[in-house]
Amino acid sequence: MRVKGRAWVLGDNVSTDHIISGKYKFKAISSLEAMLPHLLEEVIPGFSEKVRPGDVIVAGRNFGMGSSREHAPRLLKMAGVGAVIAKSFARIFYRNAINIGLPVIEAREIPNITDDGDTIVVDLSEGVVANLSKGVRERFRPFPEEVVEILRAGGIVEYIKEHGWFPWAGSTG
Amino acid sequence: MAQTMTEKILSAKVGKPVTPGDFILAEADVAYAHDGTAPLAIKVMEENPFMYRVAHPERVALVIDHASPPPHLQAARAHTLMRRFARRFGVRLYDVGEGICHQVMAESGLVRPGSLVLGADSHTVTLGALAAFATGVGSTDIALVFAFGATWLRVPEAVRGVITGTPSPAVSGKDVVLDLLRQVGADGLTYKAIEFVGDGLRHLSVEQRMTVSNMVVEAGAKAGIFPADDVLLSWLGDGARPLHPDPAAEYVDEVIIDLSSLEPLIAEPPNVDRVKSVTDVEGVEVDQVFIGSCTNGRYEDFATAARILRGRRVREGVRCIAVPASRRVYVRLLRDGIVQELARAGCFVAHSTCGPCIGAHLGILDAGEVAVSTSNRNFPGRMGHKDSRIYLASPATAAASAVEGVIADPRRYLS
């Protein structure tokens, strides 16, 4: 699984409130699309119009901290974001992103050297992220096979639809 | 092999010993969502007919708390959707005014020492105070748990939080967790569980522990677990079994919180880990004081606030908003005359809702306004305008600040 796009660089501690403010979440009742113009609005004005399919967010530490709202990764994916690369992630954002099929990659070096607009390539199966504009390549700790399968299916719901059960055995509903 | 409480609980769930780093499919004992997260979960289930089912209705609850009573049509619609879902599948629905989901779950009797609790809200960690492994998940996760009874988890490493000493009267659970945040930072416990032990635990009531567990997520923790010790077992009062970590359990790190040297603390905007002594920020002018939320909306919190506000007045120009975390708390406060004391002092006392904490309703901040809040987050825009400023503190500090109209040290009132 491969993602290629332009980088949008953010700092440390980008919260789910920054990604999509809690005050908009009731708009999701009618449609998630109605929230899209507010995506990252206080951080990158006009982001939802400027982003192109495959673009990559490159952030610092603790990306997605705060609320459990799944609207945050869903809207990033809906806007066309192909992957989020960060030094670390808040855990609920991290699992929400996997569950909805948005690749999330922990990288040490790439966030330090990337500028807005650099071309980023991510190869999930190889476990490699590269900044082509800077000529820097970094290996990341590969996902467990089951998680790659979920991302490949486009999310855990799609995975279960296809296979009938979670990629992990045990427990019956 | 010696086990942490995390390992004990999750091993029992899957019927074999687990170790940190294992991915497991774990069956939840309790699963719940609120009006901010349930609609998206219900939508996922409706859009996927194979998920339009509830495996264990008796383990599931929906709670209307975030925008409650509905301040706008979209919230009203979310609530309708939840009521319809609850009727269709026979799951519990806690309607308007019954309380904030984590408090309602603590009161429900569903959560037991050793339970695995999954909630579609980051502050689900609150229930770690009941010796449960309780953690927040997203809407898709909770939809999976509703439909199939289970979801995947990675077994976390655990950090030992040692609580020692005896606190002074103006110090409470909020100061304990602010001290933890000061020590570890906003991502210091990411992916990890923290388990609290030590001789100081006997000074922390279950209500105070809920405040501590509530905010461990602000350090990124997956769970904040207190043991099922005498304090908890007598609070439960129904013959629950003790639960402690094994003495030789392996922890990846240790944090020590000394209650004896702890002073009232406050987290400056815009981050929860910008923790200072209240004396460092005394005198900052305040427009609004909020006492409530799943962090500090329990009986003791308002009893403490009332001790300070009794016979005094909220300073002119300050709005003091008091919101109990559940109807049960509200009724106890009514019975004991505390609502009357707060109202007499000039507080706006409301029924239970998350409202002000998330900037949903009942106290939205304007640009340039300053709030002292007993809630859990002070990110820009959390309670209203992005240029408002939120200081997080204990109910005692909040009440003292309401009286003085500036950030104030509660030690002048409680000794």
Side-chain angles (χ1 to χ4, degrees):
Chain A
M1 213 186 148
R2 208 175 132 91
V3 176
K4 184 176 178 183
R6 300 174 305 166
W8 295 84
V9 178
L10 296 172
D12 293 340
N13 296 323
V14 174
S15 72
T16 51
D17 278 338
H18 288 117
I19 299 168
I20 184 71
S21 169
K23 55 181 174 271
Y24 300 123
K25 70 180 154 196
F26 284 99
K27 289 200 176 188
I29 308 304
S30 41
S31 75
L32 213 54
E33 285 82 355
M35 300 166 84
L36 210 48
H38 303 295
L39 179 64
L40 285 167
E41 66 183 354
E42 307 283 5
V43 188
I44 308 172
F47 178 76
S48 65
E49 285 168 15
K50 294 182 200 158
V51 65
R52 285 190 226 135
D55 280 0
V56 171
I57 303 255
V58 180
R61 283 165 48 175
N62 205 18
F63 187 86
M65 72 171 182
S67 148
S68 72
R69 78 185 61 114
E70 192 172 300
H71 313 76
R74 277 179 183 266
L75 287 165
L76 289 171
K77 190 183 176 190
M78 187 182 280
V81 170
V84 183
I85 297 155
K87 288 185 182 171
S88 67
F89 291 88
R91 60 160 285 275
I92 303 179
F93 180 90
Y94 188 79
R95 64 179 293 126
N96 281 344
I98 291 168
N99 278 340
I100 62 119
L102 173 68
V104 274
I105 287 109
E106 279 188 350
R108 282 187 304 274
E109 190 53 29
I110 294 289
N112 290 334
I113 57 100
T114 298
D115 293 308
D116 274 328
D118 285 358
T119 302
I120 304 287
V121 178
V122 181
D123 193 317
L124 284 179
S125 320
E126 299 275 314
V128 173
V129 53
N131 181 326
L132 300 184
S133 311
K134 297 287 193 308
V136 175
R137 202 167 170 279
E138 179 177 353
R139 302 202 69 86
F140 57 87
R141 190 170 42 170
F143 291 105
E145 200 180 318
E146 294 90 344
V147 173
V148 176
E149 288 300 312
I150 291 170
L151 290 171
R152 190 171 286 142
I156 193 154
V157 170
E158 287 70 20
Y159 182 93
I160 295 174
K161 195 185 288 178
E162 211 173 297
H163 297 85
W165 194 241
F166 296 82
W168 293 276
S171 237
T172 53
Chain B
M1 213 180 95
Q3 289 187 310
T4 63
M5 289 187 279
T6 296
E7 290 162 4
K8 285 186 181 187
I9 296 169
L10 297 179
S11 295
K13 281 289 123 199
V14 296
K16 60 175 189 211
V18 298
T19 52
D22 289 353
F23 280 76
I24 59 170
L25 187 65
E27 205 166 309
D29 297 294
V30 181
Y32 61 96
H34 56 63
D35 50 333
T37 51
L40 189 50
I42 295 171
K43 199 170 163 189
V44 169
M45 296 172 81
E46 285 176 345
E47 285 170 358
N48 296 282
F50 71 100
M51 287 179 66
Y52 200 58
R53 61 197 286 260
V54 173
H56 304 289
E58 72 284 3
R59 300 179 192 170
V60 171
L62 300 181
V63 186
I64 292 174
D65 61 8
H66 266 52
S68 167
H72 44 69
L73 191 57
Q74 284 150 337
R77 190 155 301 156
H79 300 170
T80 302
L81 185 69
M82 291 168 73
R83 292 188 190 101
R84 195 185 303 143
F85 182 89
R87 267 199 306 276
R88 166 77 177 75
F89 292 106
V91 306
R92 283 182 180 77
L93 177 90
Y94 294 92
D95 215 311
V96 170
E98 293 196 56
I100 300 174
C101 54
H102 316 300
Q103 178 64 20
V104 167
M105 286 296 112
E107 293 169 356
S108 72
L110 291 172
V111 179
R112 316 284 305 154
S115 290
L116 174 61
V117 180
L118 299 175
D121 185 277
S122 59
H123 293 110
T124 303
V125 287
T126 309
L127 293 159
L130 274 54
F133 187 90
T135 196
V137 296
S139 293
T140 294
D141 268 317
I142 212 71
L144 294 168
V145 182
F146 287 176
F148 305 119
T151 192
W152 61 280
L153 288 177
R154 181 186 166 281
V155 179
E157 291 80 11
V159 171
R160 180 161 42 209
V162 183
I163 300 180
T164 63
T166 308
S168 61
V171 163
S172 68
K174 185 59 155 281
D175 304 300
V176 174
V177 75
L178 288 176
D179 186 45
L180 174 69
L181 287 162
R182 173 167 64 179
Q183 292 193 50
V184 304
D187 61 352
L189 298 173
T190 300
Y191 311 131
K192 299 186 185 82
I194 180 163
E195 301 190 354
F196 296 101
V197 297
D199 63 11
L201 288 192
R202 65 199 146 109
H203 301 294
L204 290 179
S205 67
V206 174
E207 293 197 357
Q208 305 285 314
R209 295 174 183 195
M210 286 174 76
T211 303
V212 176
S213 290
N214 176 273
M215 284 189 73
V216 300
V217 71
E218 313 313 333
K222 189 165 188 168
I225 309 175
F226 282 84
D229 59 1
D230 292 343
V231 173
L232 176 61
L233 296 179
S234 73
W235 185 87
L236 288 165
D238 56 2
R241 303 256 303 274
L243 177 70
H244 294 272
D246 290 328
E250 275 186 40
Y251 290 89
V252 292
D253 208 345
E254 183 172 278
V255 183
I256 297 169
I257 297 165
D258 177 22
L259 298 175
S260 304
S261 63
L262 205 54
E263 48 178 357
L265 298 174
I266 196 160
E268 277 191 323
N271 282 307
V272 289
D273 57 356
R274 289 184 53 150
V275 176
K276 300 264 171 72
S277 163
V278 71
T279 53
D280 294 334
V281 287
E282 262 189 298
V284 172
E285 283 192 35
V286 172
D287 299 289
Q288 179 168 305
V289 170
F290 170 49
I291 306 172
S293 81
C294 58
T295 314
N296 275 123
R298 282 169 277 276
Y299 184 87
E300 289 173 26
D301 298 323
F302 296 101
T304 301
R307 280 174 63 198
I308 293 172
L309 285 158
R310 188 174 296 147
R312 298 191 175 94
R313 292 282 305 172
V314 172
R315 178 61 63 101
E316 200 178 322
V318 177
R319 311 179 290 275
C320 184
I321 297 165
V323 185
S326 73
R327 175 174 289 145
R328 195 178 289 189
V329 171
Y330 188 77
V331 168
R332 280 185 68 198
L333 295 171
L334 274 173
R335 185 197 64 194
D336 294 351
I338 292 171
V339 168
Q340 192 175 17
E341 287 174 342
L342 295 173
R344 274 207 176 128
C347 297
F348 172 95
V349 188
H351 279 270
S352 188
T353 173
C354 303
C357 167
I358 48 169
H361 62 145
L362 285 183
I364 293 172
L365 299 174
D366 195 7
E369 288 197 314
V370 172
V372 174
S373 174
T374 67
S375 59
N376 42 49
R377 292 192 176 129
N378 57 357
F379 307 147
R382 170 83 176 177
M383 294 177 70
H385 197 278
K386 69 177 168 55
D387 296 327
S388 57
R389 292 167 61 74
I390 306 164
Y391 290 83
L392 303 175
S394 68
T397 301
S401 304
V403 169
E404 300 193 17
V406 294
I407 292 175
D409 191 332
R411 284 172 291 196
R412 282 195 288 280
Y413 302 86
L414 301 171
S415 52

